[in-house]
Amino acid sequence: MDVDPASAAAHHEHAGSTYHFCSNGCFEKFKANPARYLKPRTAETPPPAPADSEYTCPMHPEIRQTGPGTCPKCGMALEPVVSTGGEENPELRDMSRRFWVSAALSAPIFLLMFAGMLAGMGSHLLPPKAEIWLQFVLATPVVLWGGRPVFERFWLSVVHRSPNMFTLIALGAGAAYLYSVTAAIAPGVFPDAFRGPGGELAVYFEPAAFIIVLVLLGQVLELRARSHTGKAVQALLGLAPKTARIVRENGGEEDIALSAVHKGDLLRVRPGERIAVDGKITEGSSPVDESMLTGEPVPILKTAGDPVIGGSLNISGSFIMRAEQVGESTVLAQIVNLVSAAQRSRAPIQRLADSVSAYFVPAVVLVAAATAVVWGLAGPSPRMAHALVNAVAVLIIACPCALGLATPMSIMVGSGRGAAAGVLFRNADALETLSKMDTLLVDKTGTLTEGRPALLAVEASPGFSQEELLQLAASLEQASEHPFGEAILRGAAARGLIVEKPENFTSVPGKGATALVAGRGIAVGNAALMEQAGVDVTSLAGAAERLRGEGQSVMFVAIDGKSAGLLGVADPIKASSREALQVLREQGVRVVMVTGDSKGTASVIARELGIGEVHAEVLPSEKQSIVRKLQEEGRTVGMAGDGINDAPALVQAQIGIAMGTGADIAMESADVTLVKGDLRGVARAMRLSRATMANIRQNLFFAFFYNLLGVPVAAGVLYPFFGFLLSPVIASAAMTFSSVSVITNALRLRKVAL
């Protein structure tokens, strides 16, 4: 149906959902009964990834293509590079359907086999020929339809000369099935070496079908586990509200789609709502919960001028904010992209598994062939039947699926766990390198300290009160653009003081400022300004020295030509810095401060925090040189900073750590970003990286040990001593169990304490 795009009928907002006309709609009928002629599209049903978007393999992220497809290396279905959040995995749906149908068809085969075992060897519930044909009828759709993805991926591995787990599975299951079909249709073609003492010819439809069923089960479990690893990304995507309430120029308000929000728009955020985009509050105040983004559980009071992050939760108050970052520019969008990229990347330790896998599959095929030859020449009767069964068992139990899953699963889960704690890894390399860090260089401003001056001391001379002193000084500073002036204003506001408008404001470069406030002459500045104004501040000299010894900058205040007191301003140490440094020391990390600030201030901060090594008054290039010197000593160096001046050192360090509250260039240069801008995040990140690497090593051990033990047993080395042979069915069950054990171990990272 044709609809005028300008018409309000082109789409309709109702009950929080967007509706579109169905194909046979009618505008007149729509107006009379909208609900009948509309199709809803709700937020709970996200759109699928576009067919022309970029797809990649979760196990081989270097494989990329436009549109869906199959990885030529491992045969897995490709997934969209940019997740839309919560989309259903078509591969999981397909594998689940194939598994349940195949399991239902295989159940009667299992019952026939089990009943025959209970009745005794050689006994059958049905006549032998009827039982063989029943197994053929039931096993054929299992192998050919249920196992179709296995054989398709086997063929791709041959075409691309990239043998993988599906190569072994297809060879094993295919050999058992083709042999059994031939034995059922043309038994006379087989010589006596394939026959038992009574001339009977065994068939192996059971292992062929069960191998496919168990492989499908393993695929379903793996795909479900991988979907769980994406929960962190989906949870982050779910934080963004679908709509925002815009405040129009005429004062009117209306809800609009999130995609319609532009930079500079004024938005109202009501109690209990999630903030739509990044911006700054222009009016009102409220506590805001940023825990999902930063890992900080305590809501933070936000007032006019404070930044807010899209996706965070407004607790109780109502405020108006100005949008500053929208769409892909928001912190939330960047976090999602970082986490997705990290989960797809490969850790250096993965090279070990890749190197082994490159030789492992061809080696297993050779071992299976050798097993068949040995059993065919020297095995008990029927020799060739034993040769086939044991060769198939070797192919199946040696399937390297656990080896392929060992590293990627841990990286995916670990990256997601970090995102939930406000720790973002750029890639898996960063996750691995951080676990080896033994030296951490930290910038002072914005990393150890708050990053902006704060009023810490107000000391009044006799005859003046602290309130009077601060109120008049803050009134003067209204006209100043100096950072110290802003600190004094914030300090007065925090004490509830009302400032007045200054008159005749005069800035004295390098000294301070003077003005008239309520008819009184006010001067705020250093000792040189007081001397110029003829004000004696000798009585305040002792207090000034004490405050300077504490790392504060001192400003004298004169009222009507008399010394009224002094103010102490400094960049305060973050409340979390002491705890963070203590934890890092316990983890064996050497902490070094590097700052461009003065030696006196740096020494005070270092003394308070217990940092023994300090480099002060250094240029950005010198920070980089300090990192390089430590690296030459054989140290694995991390650099934590938040400013543009930290970018060269962040790049030089083996692991650059950026505070999320800092400059964009610092975050672009870093390997790890702490969303909260809290140094405790470094300790969290190290705990997580070490736990992840330990988890990977455990997985690799399980995978290697399992194959080293399983292959000889499947080949029959125990038969001469104990008469024990490993059935291909048991081998396929063991292969599935090995994959499940690796997946389960990796998922433990979701619960690691940070």
Side-chain angles (χ1 to χ4, degrees):
M1 131 179 180
D2 294 326
V3 179
D4 178 7
S7 170
H11 75 279
H12 181 64
E13 302 281 346
H14 180 67
S17 300
T18 300
Y19 295 85
H20 300 271
F21 283 112
C22 57
S23 58
N24 60 352
C26 171
F27 181 48
E28 294 302 324
K29 292 180 180 180
F30 159 74
K31 289 194 295 183
N33 188 0
R36 181 179 178 183
Y37 295 98
L38 296 176
K39 291 181 179 179
R41 184 165 192 166
T42 64
E44 286 72 26
T45 309
D52 60 349
S53 62
E54 196 171 19
Y55 282 70
T56 186
C57 174
M59 298 302 175
H60 299 91
E62 69 276 12
I63 302 297
R64 291 199 175 201
Q65 70 175 46
T66 300
T70 304
C71 176
K73 288 190 175 182
C74 66
M76 295 181 65
L78 302 181
E79 298 179 353
V81 171
V82 180
S83 172
T84 58
E87 65 266 12
E88 186 178 9
N89 187 337
E91 186 184 16
L92 174 57
R93 183 174 62 249
D94 179 62
M95 288 292 185
S96 297
R97 181 172 64 252
R98 292 179 188 272
F99 165 71
W100 287 112
V101 172
S102 299
L105 292 172
S106 300
I109 302 177
F110 175 78
L111 292 176
L112 287 173
M113 181 185 71
F114 188 66
M117 292 172 60
L118 290 179
M121 295 299 294
S123 300
H124 299 275
L125 292 180
L126 300 174
K129 277 199 170 183
E131 185 171 315
I132 289 174
W133 283 107
L134 178 59
Q135 289 184 15
F136 168 75
V137 170
L138 293 172
T140 296
V142 173
V143 175
L144 299 185
W145 176 78
R148 179 178 175 179
V150 173
F151 293 104
E152 287 178 342
R153 295 170 183 184
F154 159 72
W155 179 246
L156 284 173
S157 73
V158 174
V159 171
H160 294 283
R161 296 183 179 88
S162 179
N164 53 50
M165 59 175 280
F166 295 105
T167 308
L168 301 183
I169 294 169
L171 286 174
Y177 176 75
L178 290 176
Y179 163 80
S180 301
V181 170
T182 306
I185 297 175
V189 302
F190 291 95
D192 292 342
F194 283 87
R195 301 177 184 275
E200 71 278 3
L201 195 62
V203 294
Y204 300 102
F205 287 115
E206 307 105 310
F210 292 162
I211 287 168
I212 295 298
V213 170
L214 289 169
V215 167
L216 290 173
L217 174 61
Q219 288 293 291
V220 169
L221 294 175
E222 177 188 332
L223 289 167
R224 285 183 178 173
R226 276 169 41 206
S227 70
H228 285 306
T229 65
K231 292 295 184 183
V233 174
Q234 293 176 18
L236 288 168
L237 286 167
L239 292 179
K242 304 300 180 285
T243 61
R245 190 165 187 82
I246 190 169
V247 180
R248 301 295 187 187
E249 291 183 1
N250 61 6
E253 299 181 7
E254 64 174 308
D255 290 333
I256 60 173
L258 183 63
S259 58
V261 177
H262 296 93
K263 184 176 180 179
D265 285 347
L266 290 178
L267 306 175
R268 179 174 293 281
V269 184
R270 292 166 291 190
E273 289 184 336
R274 289 203 176 272
I275 298 168
V277 296
D278 299 354
K280 282 188 177 181
I281 295 178
T282 60
E283 180 183 327
S285 63
S286 176
V288 174
D289 180 2
E290 299 178 341
S291 58
M292 188 58 193
L293 295 170
T294 66
E296 178 59 52
V298 180
I300 303 170
L301 179 63
K302 300 282 187 174
T303 59
D306 287 338
V308 288
I309 304 174
S312 53
L313 180 65
N314 180 27
I315 300 297
S316 57
S318 174
F319 59 82
I320 296 176
M321 60 172 287
R322 186 177 301 278
E324 294 188 342
Q325 301 292 340
V326 300
E328 291 298 310
S329 299
T330 64
V331 169
L332 180 59
Q334 292 176 36
I335 290 174
V336 169
N337 290 336
L338 265 177
V339 176
S340 298
Q343 290 185 332
R344 293 192 305 269
S345 61
R346 297 163 71 82
I349 197 173
Q350 176 71 22
R351 299 191 193 105
L352 173 62
D354 290 344
S355 299
V356 171
S357 296
Y359 300 99
F360 185 76
V361 174
V364 169
V365 173
L366 291 176
V367 171
T371 299
V373 170
V374 171
W375 279 92
L377 294 175
S381 180
R383 294 193 304 276
M384 295 307 297
H386 279 97
L388 174 66
V389 170
N390 289 310
V392 168
V394 169
L395 290 171
I396 299 303
I397 202 167
C399 174
C401 46
L403 190 61
L405 288 170
T407 299
M409 282 299 300
S410 297
I411 293 297
M412 292 171 74
V413 180
S415 298
R417 178 68 182 93
V423 178
L424 307 178
F425 294 94
R426 181 172 295 277
N427 49 43
D429 196 345
L431 188 61
E432 179 174 342
T433 305
L434 183 60
S435 67
K436 306 171 185 175
M437 184 180 74
D438 55 26
T439 304
L440 176 66
L441 273 65
V442 292
D443 181 42
K444 180 185 74 68
T445 305
T447 302
L448 295 173
T449 64
E450 295 289 351
R452 63 176 185 175
L455 180 67
L456 300 184
V458 180
E459 299 197 10
S461 299
F464 297 93
S465 67
Q466 290 186 354
E467 289 76 11
E468 179 186 20
L469 177 72
L470 181 56
Q471 189 263 342
L472 292 172
S475 297
L476 175 144
E477 295 294 352
Q478 280 188 100
S480 173
E481 296 181 354
H482 197 281
F484 286 178
E486 294 177 5
I488 293 171
L489 279 168
R490 287 194 299 269
R495 292 165 172 79
L497 301 178
I498 300 175
V499 296
E500 300 184 31
K501 186 176 180 180
E503 299 176 356
N504 300 332
F505 176 84
T506 302
S507 175
V508 184
K511 297 180 181 180
T514 62
L516 286 176
V517 178
R520 307 181 71 178
I522 310 299
V524 179
N526 56 23
L529 178 67
M530 296 297 111
E531 182 179 354
Q532 179 179 315
V535 178
D536 183 11
V537 292
T538 306
S539 61
L540 297 173
E545 284 303 312
R546 173 172 51 80
L547 294 179
R548 291 192 186 102
E550 296 173 1
Q552 298 184 37
S553 297
V554 174
M555 287 174 287
F556 296 98
V557 180
I559 300 176
D560 293 330
K562 297 180 180 179
S563 174
L566 52 78
L567 305 174
V569 175
D571 186 3
I573 295 173
K574 289 182 179 178
S576 59
S577 292
R578 290 181 177 83
E579 176 189 347
L581 293 174
Q582 178 61 32
V583 173
L584 288 169
R585 293 187 190 100
E586 292 173 356
Q587 293 177 337
V589 178
R590 169 187 174 189
V591 180
V592 180
M593 182 197 294
V594 287
T595 178
D597 212 338
S598 67
K599 292 182 179 180
T601 302
S603 298
V604 170
I605 299 295
R607 185 170 61 249
E608 289 192 28
L609 293 176
I611 298 175
E613 188 173 347
V614 180
H615 298 271
E617 300 178 2
V618 296
L619 299 173
S621 59
E622 293 174 329
K623 289 185 180 182
Q624 187 178 20
S625 299
I626 293 170
V627 173
R628 189 182 298 112
K629 181 180 178 181
L630 289 167
Q631 290 171 333
E632 291 171 354
E633 295 175 4
R635 293 188 169 273
T636 302
V637 182
M639 171 70 196
D642 74 334
I644 294 174
N645 62 326
D646 298 321
L650 289 170
V651 173
Q652 177 67 39
Q654 283 105 324
I655 190 80
I657 304 168
M659 302 298 170
T661 51
D664 288 343
I665 190 171
M667 287 183 273
E668 287 296 324
S669 306
D671 303 295
V672 180
T673 298
L674 308 179
V675 179
K676 174 62 178 173
D678 185 336
L679 201 59
R680 287 177 299 186
V682 179
R684 293 193 193 104
M686 283 203 66
R687 277 196 291 262
L688 178 59
S689 66
R690 290 178 176 179
T692 301
M693 297 312 301
N695 193 272
I696 289 173
R697 285 189 284 269
Q698 292 163 5
N699 284 346
L700 289 174
F701 172 78
F702 291 154
F704 282 126
F705 177 78
Y706 166 82
N707 283 301
L708 289 174
L709 180 66
V711 170
V713 173
V717 296
L718 298 181
Y719 184 80
F721 307 101
F722 306 103
F724 175 77
L725 287 177
L726 190 66
S727 163
V729 174
I730 302 301
S732 58
M735 177 267 296
T736 301
F737 174 77
S738 70
S739 297
V740 172
S741 64
V742 166
I743 292 169
T744 303
N745 188 52
L747 290 177
R748 290 192 308 112
L749 287 171
R750 292 187 299 172
K751 305 296 183 183
V752 65
L754 299 180

